[in-house]
Amino acid sequence: MSGTGPGGDGPLIVPPLTDFTTAVSAASGGDLLDLGAHFVRRLADPEQLLARAERLDTGRGTSADALRALFARAAADALRRGRADRAALRATGMALRLAGDADPALTLAVDDLELRDGTTESAPATDTAARRTRLFGPEVELALRWAGDRTVRVLVDTDQQLPAALALVRALGPARVTLCGRFAWEHRAVLGQLPSAAGARFDPAVPARTVRPGWLPGTEDVRWVTVPGERTPGAPWLGWLDVVDAAASADGHWACCRGLTVTVARLDSWETAVGARGGRADLAALCARLRPGTPLAVELLVGAPGTDAKDAAAAVALIADGPGPAPGCGRSSRGCGRSGCPGRPAAGGPRRAGTGCRCASGRVRSTICRAGRTSTRRAPWPPPNARPRSTPCWAT
């Protein structure tokens, strides 16, 4: 059985497939290796994409190969501009998808990962995929050189990071790895029993995240927040919160808010928004507390107990006529205030940044999430906390 307890402030490794528009902050004076950023730079390199297009577009391939070559060239053109905008997000997503097409174990998207055999809701299937995938080889080699003989921490905040994290633990040796982060700590009992992680330690520490330069206007450091306790009084922040948690925030936090997406399970009126855990909140009052021009988006959980498609449609119509965010198509809207936000200012109110819908009991549909992306993540009902992300049941 693996151990638990504080892992200290030792060297920290961030595995691939975390939010690449945010950066993890190392402890004061601590070493950090961001393999997530390295992974995205490697796969979304315009020259590599053009080389992939040349290999695919030989004149002897299939129509699917020709289409992939076309997409690779288009992604390379978008990424060459060097802008942090929606085009870059889509191009990066295409680069990840193309890289996953040939992998025997995993397929990728800009904000998701799927197993070819099984799902990340199954711990054994995830461990098997971590052994079979060829996607993370260069990152694992870099981690081995960087770590040397040191004991390191590996951050796991989401299930999408698990295959890469398990590959790292296996290569480094579980005995000198501490898995930290919210997801790793919540599922430490099951993760510690996997062959790849047996003997690893676990730490509840959740390192802070900030938005990377370029994804927000201005030059200030902005904290990315997914639970209320991550905010620092007086410091700028933006994030994604359950509507009940957001509505309960102290007045002093709103002057520092740079953008917000709230998760709502049901919306019968602006004064009676229901959050992911069943609590109620006044969304109209929340809108009034935001500074004028602050981007706001609403994520609707579709399929919550006692709701149906008509309830979701009525909620979207209500949002369209209400004082807050205008409904959007989900896939082109961003609600966090990041660069390229298409939201328009509402008179005397927050900037209207869009609405997305997420299925609470199955595959996600058109979800606005961090970095203004859409999500295709599985989410059981009810979500165990305010953070709208996948939480595996670890079925065998």
Side-chain angles (χ1 to χ4, degrees):
M1 181 67 181
S2 56
T4 60
D9 295 327
L12 177 65
I13 298 175
V14 182
L17 297 177
T18 186
D19 185 346
F20 64 87
T21 67
T22 66
V24 175
S25 301
S28 180
D31 289 342
L32 184 145
L33 178 62
D34 190 344
L35 293 179
H38 183 274
F39 183 73
V40 169
R41 284 196 304 269
R42 178 170 66 85
L43 296 188
D45 175 43
E47 298 306 318
Q48 294 297 324
L49 285 167
L50 291 175
R52 181 184 293 275
E54 290 300 320
R55 292 194 298 270
L56 290 169
D57 196 9
T58 62
R60 298 186 298 273
T62 65
S63 59
D65 289 335
L67 186 61
R68 291 189 185 97
L70 177 65
F71 284 144
R73 292 191 177 100
D77 287 344
L79 291 166
R80 275 176 167 169
R81 301 169 188 167
R83 301 172 186 168
D85 56 15
R86 284 180 291 162
L89 288 174
R90 292 167 179 158
T92 300
M94 179 53 63
L96 297 178
R97 176 181 171 183
L98 291 169
D101 279 349
D103 191 71
L106 303 173
T107 62
L108 303 178
V110 70
D111 62 348
D112 200 17
L113 168 149
E114 291 187 2
L115 277 56
R116 293 192 181 276
D117 298 311
T119 76
T120 54
E121 295 177 357
S122 168
T126 303
D127 199 27
T128 299
R131 295 172 182 273
R132 292 180 56 212
T133 184
R134 298 191 295 264
L135 288 171
F136 310 118
E139 283 69 39
V140 171
E141 293 178 5
L142 176 58
L144 288 171
R145 295 194 301 270
W146 180 83
D149 58 358
R150 296 182 294 177
T151 297
V152 299
R153 295 181 298 151
V154 175
L155 174 63
V156 185
D157 270 338
T158 70
D159 63 325
Q160 284 80 25
Q161 290 179 278
L162 270 181
L166 290 173
L168 286 166
V169 174
R170 187 174 66 253
L172 292 164
R176 64 189 186 108
V177 172
T178 295
L179 291 168
C180 64
R182 188 174 292 108
F183 187 91
W185 182 252
E186 288 174 356
H187 300 286
R188 61 191 181 279
V190 175
L191 290 175
Q193 297 177 16
L194 294 177
S196 295
R201 297 181 64 84
F202 293 85
D203 180 4
V206 181
R209 288 182 181 270
T210 57
V211 181
R212 291 187 187 275
W215 290 101
L216 280 176
T219 59
E220 64 181 353
D221 290 332
V222 179
R223 178 76 179 266
W224 174 249
V225 170
T226 55
V227 295
E230 292 176 338
R231 291 174 296 198
T232 301
W237 65 277
L238 61 82
W240 183 10
L241 297 172
D242 184 84
V243 66
V244 176
D245 291 329
S249 299
D251 290 339
H253 287 301
W254 296 108
C256 299
C257 180
R258 301 296 184 262
L260 178 65
T261 296
V262 292
T263 299
V264 172
R266 186 183 182 103
L267 190 65
D268 294 325
S269 73
W270 279 96
E271 291 73 26
T272 57
V274 178
R277 301 186 301 273
R280 293 180 178 272
D282 188 335
L283 188 53
L286 187 155
C287 290
R289 297 166 77 186
L290 289 170
R291 297 185 310 166
T294 301
L296 173 68
V298 172
E299 178 197 45
L300 295 173
L301 296 180
V302 179
T307 66
D308 55 25
K310 292 182 179 179
D311 295 319
V316 172
L318 183 64
I319 292 169
D321 294 332
C329 68
R331 291 197 176 274
S332 65
S333 300
R334 66 178 57 242
C336 293
R338 310 253 176 134
S339 176
C341 177
R344 58 190 181 277
R351 180 184 298 174
R352 301 181 173 204
T355 300
C357 299
R358 182 159 71 95
C359 178
S361 58
R363 183 57 59 187
V364 178
R365 307 295 181 192
S366 287
T367 304
I368 298 175
C369 55
R370 293 172 296 172
R373 305 182 312 248
T374 56
S375 177
T376 52
R377 302 174 186 170
R378 297 185 183 276
W381 184 265
N385 55 42
R387 187 179 187 184
R389 58 168 171 77
S390 170
T391 302
C393 60
W394 301 106
T396 56

